[in-house]
Amino acid sequence: MEQKMFCYQCEQTVGCTACTGAAGVCGKKAGTAKLQDELTGALIGLARAVDGNEDLVTEKTDALMIESLFMTLTNVNFDDSRIQAQIDRVHREQGRMIPRCAVCASPCGRNEDYNMEQLWQAEENIRSLKSLLLFGLRGMAAYAYHAMVLGYTDNTVNQFFYEALMQIGLDLTMEELLPEVLKLGEVNLRCMALLDRANTETYGTPEPTKVSMQIDAGPFIVVTGHDLKDLQLLLEQTKDKGIAVYTHGEMLPAHAYPKLKAYPHLKGNFGTAWQNQQKEFDAIPAPVLFTTNCLMPPKPSYADRVFTTEAVGFPEMVHIGKDKDFTPVIEKALELGGYTAPQQQTGINGGTELTTGFGHGAVLSVADKVVNAVKAGKIRHFFLVGGCDGAKAGRNYYTEFVKQTPPDTIVLTLACGKYRFHDLDLGTIDGLPRIMDMGQCNDAYSAIQVAVALAEAFGCGVNELPLSYVLSWYEQKAVCILLTLLHLGIRNIRLGPSLPAFLSPDVLQYLVDSYGITPITTPEQDLAELLQ
């Protein structure tokens, strides 16, 4: 009998309800989805074994928890053998804490995995809140992972993974689950602050930087994903080898970090957002290293040049293990040789150059200039237009929205959603570019810091600022960021291109009533309402 799946954690799920067939829209097969459910159930079992006893938890336990949750994000790992091996690792760690007894005169429940079918078949509102909690945890795990590989951890963040997973495995009411869901937003703020500190203390404070979209002749490697440590290690191993390195997708903001941009062979940016990779990587004369999520099933035309590392995996692709020896990637780059002549690429709107690096450090360094421009009436409004990109129809809304923003407004952006419009030239206001790329999705922390600083400067609350949030979502990191914004009390967020399938009508109504969350409509209508 053909296996069936149930998955509705991403924005492109079938019919805006759920992927329930033999494969999902992302390319994940039903068997892989089942294994990811088993891994999640095992992690809930691990949380049950801990049961609040911190003495049982080691650094190895925390690392296993974070890496395992990361592996279940959309477009991260399609390799069944690696997911099964991860399940086995979780069971061994659980067994270290408490025997996995098959028969016991006094069962304690602490050695049992959770059957995810209980979640998927739960009452609609319970399923909705538990899904919101689970998907937010998966997103936060990605941020915790990136900080962890740089040597930065936070015990409060780590403890919350066990606490929240325990809640998912319990029989709770909506009233009991809702505070835990909202708490995730608070803890994720702490997690994003941790990652911000890890990145800036390791690589320096990002600074505004122009990035070329020209690909030079000769051997090169494309690095995609979010993990700055992997990029740094590759840059070290490719020094003086005549190989250029280009970022792709969410790796673009790496060019703004002083210690990374110091490598002369970090040349520029290749391509656009993740969902275009099957077209842009077609017959590319260079290898592509995937460091985190956003992997799509490779086409045969370039499957021999895809390499994965860390939590990323795909069957039969070469995986770079914990030793981080990138020799296979380097050898493939030299073998393929790159282009014989320079190739001028362009963004979606025809631009040939991108600018990044407007994190909170850069923006707040000119805070007086920004505040004065607002007081002088030169800046009327700020829009944070950012989030995930994707292939579903309706995402051109964000391009049109940005194009139609008045010339006395500033567009702050982050994550891969910016590829829709950040090659546009909208001019400047008092020397400040009208489009400011704040970085990766986790750099929503920068936007929060800027909002807080502006609120202090004007002596008002964040909801009284001339600042509006127009967000796009695709996967689970967007979920935890949204919960963080709600934790901060930010209201009237526009969200699109469609609302999450896992939000039940009652849960959605709660978010509308409590926080004013609104689905996007048209650029014209939304702009008119936001500028009132």
Side-chain angles (χ1 to χ4, degrees):
M1 180 182 293
E2 185 179 60
Q3 280 191 310
K4 301 291 184 180
M5 66 191 298
F6 179 88
C7 184
Y8 64 172
Q9 68 178 8
C10 86
E11 185 264 338
Q12 292 182 175
T13 190
V14 173
C16 290
T17 55
C19 293
T20 57
V25 174
C26 69
K28 179 172 62 178
K29 295 180 180 178
T32 306
K34 182 176 182 297
L35 283 171
Q36 290 184 347
D37 274 358
E38 288 183 15
L39 177 55
T40 304
L43 291 172
I44 294 174
L46 182 62
R48 286 170 167 171
V50 173
D51 195 21
N53 187 351
E54 291 183 44
D55 293 338
L56 293 174
V57 177
T58 66
E59 288 185 9
K60 175 184 173 183
T61 317
D62 287 339
L64 179 62
M65 170 64 75
I66 292 168
E67 181 181 16
S68 299
L69 279 170
F70 193 2
M71 288 179 73
T72 63
L73 258 74
T74 302
N75 292 90
V76 172
N77 202 304
F78 298 80
D79 190 335
D80 290 358
S81 63
R82 286 189 56 211
I83 298 172
Q84 182 60 61
Q86 199 76 0
I87 294 169
D88 295 340
R89 288 180 62 201
V90 173
H91 283 159
R92 286 195 295 272
E93 184 65 7
Q94 184 187 33
R96 178 187 67 80
M97 298 177 182
I98 188 166
R100 291 180 59 81
C101 5
V103 179
C104 179
S106 180
C108 62
R110 289 182 57 213
N111 58 2
E112 296 177 356
D113 289 355
Y114 178 72
N115 182 354
M116 292 294 286
E117 287 298 317
Q118 292 179 252
L119 173 53
W120 308 139
Q121 296 176 12
E123 186 274 329
E124 183 179 42
N125 292 324
I126 300 301
R127 182 179 73 173
S128 181
L129 286 175
K130 286 189 175 184
S131 296
L132 194 55
L133 183 57
L134 174 61
F135 301 156
L137 285 173
R138 289 174 173 176
M140 188 171 74
Y143 299 146
Y145 188 91
H146 297 320
M148 182 176 66
V149 297
L150 292 175
Y152 290 72
T153 59
D154 185 304
N155 195 46
T156 299
V157 173
N158 292 345
Q159 284 180 29
F160 186 74
F161 287 118
Y162 303 98
E163 173 191 319
L165 285 172
M166 275 282 288
Q167 301 295 307
I168 292 171
L170 296 175
D171 185 14
L172 300 176
T173 65
M174 284 186 66
E175 291 73 22
E176 291 169 320
L177 281 168
L178 190 57
E180 195 75 3
V181 171
L182 297 177
K183 183 178 178 181
L184 190 149
E186 177 184 4
V187 178
N188 184 60
L189 177 62
R190 188 180 181 110
C191 187
M192 288 196 297
L194 176 74
L195 179 55
D196 179 80
R197 185 162 63 89
N199 286 338
T200 54
E201 290 183 0
T202 304
Y203 301 115
T205 299
E207 52 196 29
T209 303
K210 291 185 177 181
V211 183
S212 171
M213 295 188 71
Q214 175 176 294
I215 310 302
D216 293 341
F220 68 96
I221 297 170
V222 175
V223 185
T224 189
H226 306 73
D227 202 299
L228 301 180
K229 178 70 176 291
D230 285 326
L231 175 62
Q232 179 204 5
L233 293 173
L234 180 67
L235 288 169
E236 276 295 318
Q237 293 181 38
T238 50
K239 280 195 307 188
D240 305 319
K241 294 186 182 296
I243 298 173
V245 175
Y246 295 88
T247 57
H248 171 269
E250 280 276 71
M251 198 62 83
L252 168 67
H255 291 275
Y257 287 91
K259 291 186 180 178
L260 293 175
K261 67 191 296 186
Y263 290 92
H265 59 302
L266 178 60
K267 291 287 189 177
N269 192 72
F270 180 98
T272 55
W274 68 271
Q275 77 278 0
N276 300 320
Q277 66 188 258
Q278 291 182 326
K279 176 179 66 176
E280 293 175 345
F281 294 163
D282 190 50
I284 180 177
V288 182
L289 175 65
F290 281 83
T291 67
T292 58
N293 54 314
C294 301
L295 171 66
M296 296 175 73
K299 293 172 62 176
S301 61
Y302 64 89
D304 66 327
R305 54 209 68 183
V306 169
F307 296 81
T308 63
T309 191
E310 296 296 341
V312 191
F314 198 87
E316 300 180 8
M317 300 294 105
V318 176
H319 185 75
I320 307 299
K322 298 294 185 183
D323 62 353
K324 295 298 179 182
D325 182 358
F326 291 112
T327 299
V329 188
I330 294 169
E331 291 177 343
K332 179 61 73 171
L334 294 172
E335 173 195 332
L336 293 170
Y339 295 112
T340 57
Q343 304 290 310
Q344 181 60 66
Q345 297 189 329
T346 63
I348 290 176
N349 302 286
T352 59
E353 190 175 63
L354 306 172
T355 303
T356 188
F358 289 94
H360 61 92
V363 176
L364 295 182
S365 70
V366 292
D368 290 346
K369 190 174 185 179
V370 173
V371 170
N372 290 336
V374 173
K375 289 180 177 178
K378 296 179 180 180
I379 298 177
R380 176 172 35 145
H381 206 87
F382 297 87
F383 297 98
L384 175 62
V385 185
C388 312
D389 205 355
K392 183 185 285 187
R395 288 183 178 270
N396 286 339
Y397 163 95
Y398 297 94
T399 308
E400 294 306 313
F401 184 97
V402 170
K403 284 182 176 179
Q404 294 179 36
T405 54
D408 57 354
T409 62
I410 296 285
V411 175
L412 306 174
T413 189
L414 48 84
C416 61
K418 62 177 171 275
Y419 278 99
R420 294 273 169 176
F421 52 78
H422 74 148
D423 63 320
L424 292 169
D425 183 2
L426 297 187
T428 61
I429 300 175
D430 270 8
L432 299 169
R434 285 197 52 227
I435 298 180
M436 299 184 184
D437 175 23
M438 308 194 86
Q440 297 180 341
C441 54
N442 56 280
D443 290 311
Y445 179 75
S446 277
I448 291 167
Q449 293 301 102
V450 169
V452 170
L454 288 175
E456 290 178 357
F458 289 108
C460 66
V462 289
N463 289 308
E464 298 170 276
L465 287 170
L467 169 63
S468 301
Y469 298 78
V470 184
L471 307 181
S472 57
W473 83 283
Y474 175 75
E475 45 85 33
Q476 296 78 65
K477 285 180 281 188
V479 175
C480 63
I481 290 172
L482 177 63
L483 292 175
T484 293
L485 295 176
L486 300 186
H487 157 69
L488 293 168
I490 292 171
R491 297 182 52 82
N492 303 320
I493 296 169
R494 296 295 204 277
L495 184 64
S498 58
L499 295 177
F502 51 81
L503 290 181
S504 69
D506 288 344
V507 171
L508 176 59
Q509 193 60 50
Y510 170 83
L511 296 177
V512 171
D513 292 343
S514 302
Y515 301 100
I517 287 182
T518 307
I520 58 172
T521 58
T522 66
E524 295 80 5
Q525 180 178 330
D526 289 344
L527 273 168
E529 292 179 1
L530 294 172
L531 288 171
Q532 285 180 353

